[in-house]
Amino acid sequence: MPSRPTNPGGASPVRRRTLLGTAVLVVLVALAGLGAYLTRDGRSPSKAPAVRTSSPTAPSTASSAPRSHPRALPVPPKTHDPIAFGKAAAAALWSYDTRAYSRTELRTALRAWLTTEDKYADPVSVDKAVPSPVLWKEMAANRQFATAKVHEGHFPDSFTRALQADPGAITQAYIYAVTVSGKQSIAWKGSHAGGAESRTTTLAIQCGPHQPCALVGVMPSVAP
């Protein structure tokens, strides 16, 4: 996993996680794992991006591998729909291309998806979606890249129930929980080598009434 980055603004990662957890708690009181989210010092996302650093040993088909055309850095969409934004954010977190840009460039691009409200933004959870510098170097040597196909996104049941119980609570921070499922396809040294795996994650998305949606962070567990 990537090493813990230096936290801008002077606030400790633990304090940032606590602030984020407090905001989400308003509408996610029933979300499984939220208590750990408020107290763990070294949480990790529900699942790190799959990476490979050597040629495959199992057979695979060309249809399971992504196209070999280099991909641009992910840019957040301008939308007020938390589910649409969550699906786009998940695809961005599950994708990378060591042939087209550096790890630092990818990390910077993903941080641009974060809300500008520092008291809610959780950059550490986003940084953990990026392979470590050492692993990235090995992946780059194999020209490894990954693409994502999103199947669906929805509000978790626990979020919906909490929102129905107190509809006005969302106005305190306008933070939504969105669970996204899809498939990550990985290839290296040519489009005819690779594999794919299913992925699911729950994201915290901020969508205010007068501002486009932004990513708050990656929740530590998946909420169905």
Side-chain angles (χ1 to χ4, degrees):
M1 298 299 294
S3 59
R4 188 182 299 278
T6 301
N7 190 36
S12 69
V14 175
R15 176 171 175 76
R16 284 183 178 273
R17 285 194 292 273
T18 302
L19 288 170
L20 170 60
T22 300
V24 178
L25 183 61
V26 174
V27 287
L28 294 183
V29 292
L31 186 58
L34 187 58
Y37 184 71
L38 299 175
T39 57
R40 287 178 60 186
D41 181 58
R43 78 177 190 282
S44 60
S46 56
K47 191 174 183 182
V51 292
R52 290 176 172 79
T53 58
S54 61
S55 298
T57 56
S60 61
T61 63
S63 61
S64 67
R67 294 182 179 182
S68 60
H69 183 72
R71 301 180 64 85
L73 287 163
V75 177
K78 300 295 184 182
T79 178
H80 293 271
D81 182 343
I83 292 180
F85 188 90
K87 292 166 69 174
L93 291 168
W94 297 339
S95 304
Y96 58 84
D97 193 339
T98 64
R99 307 163 304 168
Y101 42 74
S102 68
R103 176 186 179 274
T104 298
E105 289 173 325
L106 175 59
R107 179 173 172 267
T108 299
L110 291 176
R111 283 200 170 202
W113 289 64
L114 288 166
T115 174
T116 56
E117 296 190 50
D118 290 342
K119 63 181 178 179
Y120 299 136
D122 183 20
V124 174
S125 66
V126 174
D127 289 346
K128 287 185 176 180
V130 182
S132 70
V134 172
L135 187 54
W136 183 274
K137 183 177 180 180
E138 295 175 355
M139 291 161 53
N142 287 321
R143 298 178 58 80
Q144 183 168 314
F145 58 99
T147 57
K149 182 177 181 180
V150 172
H151 299 321
E152 67 89 31
H154 65 273
F155 296 131
D157 290 342
S158 53
F159 175 86
T160 301
R161 290 194 300 268
L163 195 58
Q164 290 173 342
D166 186 3
I170 192 70
T171 62
Q172 296 189 33
Y174 292 101
I175 293 177
Y176 301 78
V178 178
T179 295
V180 182
S181 63
K183 180 174 289 186
Q184 183 191 53
S185 298
I186 303 172
W188 53 95
K189 289 185 176 179
S191 60
H192 296 290
E197 65 175 14
S198 297
R199 297 181 60 78
T200 305
T201 189
T202 299
L203 306 173
I205 308 295
Q206 186 177 45
C207 295
H210 304 296
Q211 61 186 28
C213 296
L215 181 62
V216 173
V218 183
M219 299 300 288
S221 59
V222 174

